[in-house]
Amino acid sequence: MEETYLLNVEGVKKKILHGGRGELPKLQDGSKFTFHFQTLKDDFERTVIDDSREAGMPMEIIVGKMFKLEIWETLLSSMRIGEVAEFWCDTIHTGMYALVSRGMRRIAEGRDPLEGQKHRCGMGNMFDYHSTGYDDLDELQRTPQPLIFIMELFRVEDPSAYKRDTWAMSKEEKLAAVPVLHSEGNRLVLRREFAQAAAKYQEAVICLRNLQAKEKPWEDGWLKLESLVTPLVLNYCQCQLELGEYYEVLEHTTELLQKHNDNAKAYFKRAKAHAAVWNEREAREDFQRVAHLDPSMAAAVKKELKQLGERMRKKHVEDRKRYQGLFQSSQGL
């Protein structure tokens, strides 16, 4: 067993339990570590706090993305592929472990890792900090202490070697991903794979919304991104219409029209969703707005209004028959 100190890292000791292979991986921002880990207390029993194998999933960290437990990136950077190593870390490096562990446990349980933090003011989140929902993690927060991490490094991937989550992309990567996702969505629509197409459009919208959040609303940068968002949202809504998700279409088109109240296509899709859920008055109002805003769509609007009238008449006839049947049944009692 080899023992060494990580150079220039105060409060860390390393033991190599099983040697790895090759050279130390060459890292860059966006490289991804995949590894298993155990977290133990530095007590006589070496009490196990967390074990990723028991949770059933390896851990992943993206280099340069400010993982809350920064020391883990340093530890992994010292390892070769296939290496198993034990790290003793002093309290200066372990103060955030309880919060990191809480998030990982909730993900393993199929829960939202941010549960209890959303829509809370800063004062509320201070109280959350003192209650993780797990007794052993609450103890770690009350009494910070050194911890032992046993890590097994499986692989290190360059940013180009794996599909990166939206949050892990740079601004340039997000902008480059949008037209690709848009094109993939269009291709899936042609194959009538609407659920998969909707997922592509949604991912592209998320990329753009993340970028918009850093711009001032209604200024040039924000508007340029909004011009890319709008057609993607409309495409997404068309997929949802095909899938019968009418209330989702109502939600997204209404949100879009609050910003762009002259968008005829958004009114048209909202009108079709209203018609599908029997909101006759709202559907007719939206169809009329479409014809007013875009006379080239007048023929399509006329066709939709005719179909709406026929569907409503048929529904009224069926409703009358059903009510008459109920009335006759009640008289026969």
Side-chain angles (χ1 to χ4, degrees), residues 116-311:
Q117 297 182 41
K118 293 183 177 180
H119 310 301
R120 298 285 300 275
C121 66
M123 186 64 72
N125 284 331
M126 285 176 63
F127 288 108
D128 271 341
Y129 180 86
H130 293 288
S131 179
T132 65
Y134 302 93
D135 291 341
D136 58 337
L137 299 183
D138 287 345
E139 179 194 347
L140 284 181
Q141 288 200 126
R142 286 192 297 269
T143 56
Q145 56 194 272
L147 294 174
I148 297 167
F149 303 113
I150 300 177
M151 295 177 163
E152 180 179 1
L153 181 60
F154 295 134
R155 59 182 174 271
V156 178
E157 298 169 274
D158 290 337
S160 60
Y162 65 94
K163 184 180 183 299
R164 304 179 69 186
D165 292 330
T166 299
W167 65 266
M169 293 181 180
S170 67
K171 177 180 179 179
E172 293 73 20
E173 288 169 333
K174 288 174 184 173
L175 286 172
V178 168
V180 175
L181 291 166
H182 198 158
S183 178
E184 289 176 353
N186 292 348
R187 178 177 54 81
L188 290 164
V189 166
L190 291 174
R191 291 163 51 180
R192 300 191 65 78
E193 297 178 14
F194 297 113
Q196 296 89 332
K200 296 293 183 183
Y201 295 137
Q202 185 179 46
E203 188 176 351
V205 169
I206 290 171
C207 285
L208 293 170
R209 291 297 190 208
N210 286 345
L211 294 174
Q212 264 191 321
K214 298 175 183 177
E215 302 284 346
K216 288 188 177 181
W218 304 106
E219 293 195 356
D220 288 346
W222 188 95
L223 288 169
K224 188 176 292 186
L225 293 167
E226 185 70 12
S227 69
L228 299 174
V229 168
T230 300
L232 288 163
V233 172
L234 291 173
N235 288 358
Y236 175 82
C237 287
Q238 183 61 41
C239 291
Q240 298 305 318
L241 282 173
E242 298 286 352
L243 294 167
E245 299 291 345
Y246 304 119
Y247 288 102
E248 187 161 357
V249 176
L250 292 175
E251 177 185 348
H252 288 289
T253 51
T254 298
E255 181 181 349
L256 189 62
L257 288 164
Q258 287 172 349
K259 299 176 185 173
H260 313 287
N261 62 5
D262 59 348
N263 192 301
K265 290 181 179 179
Y267 279 117
F268 189 77
K269 295 184 192 306
R270 190 172 75 170
K272 286 177 71 70
H274 275 308
V277 296
W278 308 105
N279 296 338
E280 182 181 12
R281 178 180 60 80
E282 292 88 346
R284 289 187 180 278
E285 288 177 355
D286 278 353
F287 279 133
Q288 288 166 2
R289 288 192 186 98
V290 173
H292 174 72
L293 289 168
D294 189 350
S296 71
M297 298 181 70
V301 167
K302 184 177 180 180
K303 179 181 177 182
E304 292 289 342
L305 286 171
K306 182 180 178 181
Q307 291 177 350
L308 175 60
E310 291 172 353
R311 288 182 69 241

Side-chain angles (χ1 to χ4, degrees), residues 77-115:
S77 299
S78 77
M79 299 178 68
R80 292 171 170 80
I81 306 300
E83 181 178 324
V84 181
E86 176 178 309
F87 299 92
W88 177 91
C89 294
D90 206 350
T91 309
I92 58 173
H93 301 298
T94 62
M96 294 295 291
Y97 183 77
L99 294 181
V100 171
S101 176
R102 176 181 67 174
M104 292 187 294
R105 291 184 187 186
R106 287 179 171 175
I107 290 171
E109 294 165 4
R111 297 164 61 191
D112 182 350
L114 298 179
E115 180 183 319

